[in-house]
Amino acid sequence: MRALLYKFLVPIHVMAEIGGLSVQIRESPIHGDTAGETHSAWSVDLIGVSGRMCQISWCTLRRWADSRVVYESHYDHKQTGGPLTIDDLRLSLSPPSVGDQRPS
């Protein structure tokens, strides 16, 4: 599971650090009455420097045995807004500063 999260989160982190992408992640419990089972609602908002937004949301079901998750399922996947493009990121190279220029 850790490797899967790493593959998902590292590119988002790079886009946030270098491209100016704003990332907001929310989780909230969904209350129920089934013993040993929890549900939660998740959403990820990706907001580009252009102001365009893509929101991805889903729900998670987890079954527990003592303090360990023994089963997990994701359901009710939704996407609002289209995928962000290169125009939604700040990836242009800035001109070199005066101190970085080489003599000709």
Side-chain angles (χ1 to χ4, degrees), residues 4-99:
L4 181 65
L5 281 173
Y6 188 77
K7 282 183 175 181
F8 175 74
L9 293 175
V10 166
I12 291 175
H13 175 75
V14 170
M15 287 187 287
E17 287 291 317
I18 296 172
L21 182 71
S22 173
V23 180
Q24 299 172 358
I25 301 172
R26 289 182 302 285
E27 181 271 338
S28 59
I30 300 172
H31 300 288
D33 57 3
T34 305
E37 188 174 287
T38 60
H39 292 257
S40 54
W42 293 81
S43 67
V44 176
D45 295 343
L46 305 172
I47 305 163
V49 295
S50 64
R52 286 180 12 109
M53 183 179 98
C54 177
Q55 181 184 68
I56 304 163
S57 60
W58 67 96
C59 294
T60 300
L61 155 69
R62 289 190 180 115
R63 292 195 180 118
W64 299 81
D66 299 319
S67 62
R68 297 180 60 129
V69 175
V70 293
Y71 175 81
E72 181 171 300
S73 176
H74 303 129
Y75 62 96
D76 199 20
H77 297 109
K78 294 178 187 165
Q79 179 176 330
T80 304
L84 300 181
T85 67
I86 196 74
D87 296 331
D88 300 309
L89 301 174
R90 184 181 49 242
L91 296 176
S92 63
L93 296 174
S94 59
S97 65
V98 175

